[in-house]
Amino acid sequence: MSIRNFAIFTCTLLFSLAAQAQSAAKPTASAAPPSVAAASLHLHGGTESLRLHGSTELPGYTGDFDHFAVDVKGNRLFLAAEDHGTLEVFDLVTGKHLKTIKGVESPHGILYLAEKNRLIVTDSGAGFSKVFNATTYKVIDTIKLAPGADSMGYDVSGKRMYVVTGGKNANMAESFLAKVDPVTGKKLGELKFDTDKVEAMAIEQKGKYLYINVTGKNYVAVVDKEKFSVVNTWPVKEGAMNAAMAFDEANQRLFVVTRKPFKLVIINTKTGASIASFAAPDRTNEAIFDKINRRIYLAGDDFISVFQQKDADHYEELSHVSSAKGAKTAIFVPDLNRLYAAISPGEGKTGAAVLRFDVVPAAIAIK
């Protein structure tokens, strides 16, 4: 090849590569928002656990989101926009934003009660927690509890709802755990905790206990659901301000996240002893146990930490899956094998969004 022809060939090749790079850089309708990094850190053998599927941006939102709920049959995803004073509804499959529901002040937890076609929303605003018709999205009732309603848990086996009230949200020095019939809204019992901060809970579906983070006192309380009394307390020694929680009932393992420092602590619920601990993402506000793939997902600032459960007593961290600053609440939907994370913009300019991740099946997944 002559020098002249070689030069022409080289220029043509470079132009072609540049054009391809520019084309690849153009965003698509389902691309992640600019605040989401494309790379993830795989810590063990390049194991991929979550794959970004797409995102839905929510322009104009400030402050924090709180928790999700899902209606699989109706193809709906619900998100509590805590600081925006709304509930947001999305298409579960496509992620399309369908509706903004008003009528709440500071929503936190959401329970979709399919058999009654209701949405129950804990609300720490001046009003009571709300009950919505899940078709019309109109408020049809209120649940009259102590002010400051926040964290919520639902016992499917016993058909009972548990709600944390009082505390900082209500400018009270004490917090309460209310036991509620979700159909009638009647309060069936109440426990008092001598602290202004009580957070997440986990509920046995085949057993008789409920576990709850007594955050202000740095312990886990064990509650007998039938007697509705505290029967044991387990100090969390690896860190302070235990907040997020998940549960593997089959293996009797509780996954607790502390905030000072941010750590994942794994507790044997047969003994109350901790068996392992790991670093957690900053501002982790959601812990999820995926019993199919035997994984733990922790949603916090910048990334989702993924841990593999080898057996009840042995765990390893698989990856840090890039998300965004403020992506600290999430939900796993096993029917779709998909995880959703909400990016809370706070008072910053990161942009609000809901991210959709496909879960990559684990080699040791339960069939």
Side-chain angles (χ1 to χ4, degrees):
M1 180 182 292
S2 68
I3 294 176
R4 179 176 180 275
N5 288 340
F6 178 78
I8 294 171
F9 170 78
T10 302
C11 289
T12 303
L13 177 61
L14 290 173
F15 180 81
S16 175
L17 290 172
Q20 290 178 32
Q22 185 177 9
S23 175
K26 292 180 179 178
T28 64
S30 60
S35 56
V36 181
S40 295
L41 175 62
H42 306 301
L43 302 177
H44 292 276
T47 303
E48 186 182 24
S49 50
L50 297 173
R51 186 180 299 134
L52 184 63
H53 182 95
S55 68
T56 303
E57 296 186 46
L58 297 167
Y61 280 73
T62 58
D64 282 351
F65 293 111
D66 215 336
H67 298 291
F68 286 99
V70 65
D71 167 20
V72 174
K73 187 176 180 180
N75 191 39
R76 293 180 295 178
L77 179 70
F78 306 103
L79 175 61
E82 174 184 354
D83 290 339
H84 203 249
T86 59
L87 299 181
E88 304 302 330
V89 188
F90 304 85
D91 185 292
L92 188 60
V93 174
T94 67
K96 180 181 178 182
H97 184 220
L98 301 176
K99 189 174 182 62
T100 294
I101 304 172
K102 299 182 178 180
V104 288
E105 296 173 72
S106 297
H108 297 282
I110 307 171
L111 171 64
Y112 172 61
L113 207 60
E115 60 269 29
K116 296 295 180 180
N117 192 39
R118 293 179 183 176
L119 282 171
I120 301 175
V121 183
T122 57
D123 190 340
S124 63
F128 295 109
S129 294
K130 310 298 191 301
V131 182
F132 289 82
N133 179 301
T135 300
T136 65
Y137 301 124
K138 302 294 184 183
V139 175
I140 57 174
D141 203 354
T142 58
I143 297 178
K144 298 171 178 61
L145 304 172
D150 195 335
S151 298
M152 172 202 290
Y154 182 56
D155 180 4
V156 178
S157 60
K159 297 188 182 301
R160 292 293 181 259
M161 180 174 71
Y162 298 88
V163 181
V164 173
T165 63
K168 283 188 177 180
N169 285 341
N171 296 314
M172 297 171 66
E174 298 169 327
S175 300
F176 304 89
L177 178 65
K179 181 179 181 179
V180 179
D181 182 330
V183 175
T184 65
K186 181 180 179 182
K187 183 171 72 174
L188 304 174
E190 188 175 72
L191 292 176
K192 182 172 72 174
F193 295 96
D194 186 22
T195 175
D196 64 358
K197 196 66 174 174
V198 174
E199 288 277 356
M201 69 192 81
I203 304 168
E204 290 185 343
Q205 299 300 318
K206 296 180 180 179
K208 63 179 183 179
Y209 297 121
L210 175 153
Y211 308 96
I212 187 163
N213 276 326
V214 184
T215 309
K217 295 293 186 178
N218 210 50
Y219 67 81
V220 173
V222 183
V223 176
D224 185 305
K225 295 187 293 181
E226 187 62 33
K227 297 177 181 177
F228 205 50
S229 62
V230 175
V231 296
N232 210 339
T233 59
W234 300 329
V236 181
K237 300 176 182 179
E238 288 81 356
M241 301 294 289
N242 44 310
M245 179 183 283
F247 185 44
D248 171 13
E249 185 168 1
N251 287 305
Q252 292 292 285
R253 294 296 181 265
L254 196 64
F255 309 111
V256 173
V257 179
T258 63
R259 290 175 173 169
K260 292 183 178 180
F262 282 95
K263 295 190 76 172
L264 167 65
V265 182
I266 301 168
I267 297 173
N268 181 341
T269 59
K270 294 178 182 177
T271 65
S274 61
I275 59 171
S277 65
F278 300 86
D282 286 350
R283 297 206 301 161
T284 295
N285 199 36
E286 199 83 62
I288 298 168
F289 180 65
D290 171 0
K291 67 180 182 180
I292 298 171
N293 294 291
R294 291 164 56 182
R295 289 179 183 151
I296 305 157
Y297 307 111
L298 303 182
D301 274 346
D302 302 318
F303 60 89
I304 299 168
S305 277
V306 184
F307 299 85
Q308 185 68 60
Q309 182 190 64
K310 293 183 173 182
D311 58 46
D313 293 329
H314 297 90
Y315 301 80
E316 70 173 1
E317 189 170 14
L318 291 182
S319 57
H320 293 171
V321 180
S322 296
S323 55
K325 185 75 70 177
K328 53 193 176 69
T329 56
I331 189 171
F332 173 54
V333 182
D335 302 78
L336 275 65
N337 212 33
R338 184 170 288 176
L339 185 143
Y340 301 80
I343 301 176
S344 291
E347 297 305 320
K349 298 179 180 180
T350 56
V354 173
L355 306 178
R356 305 186 302 281
F357 293 90
D358 291 328
V359 175
V360 179
I364 60 172
I366 299 172
K367 304 298 183 184

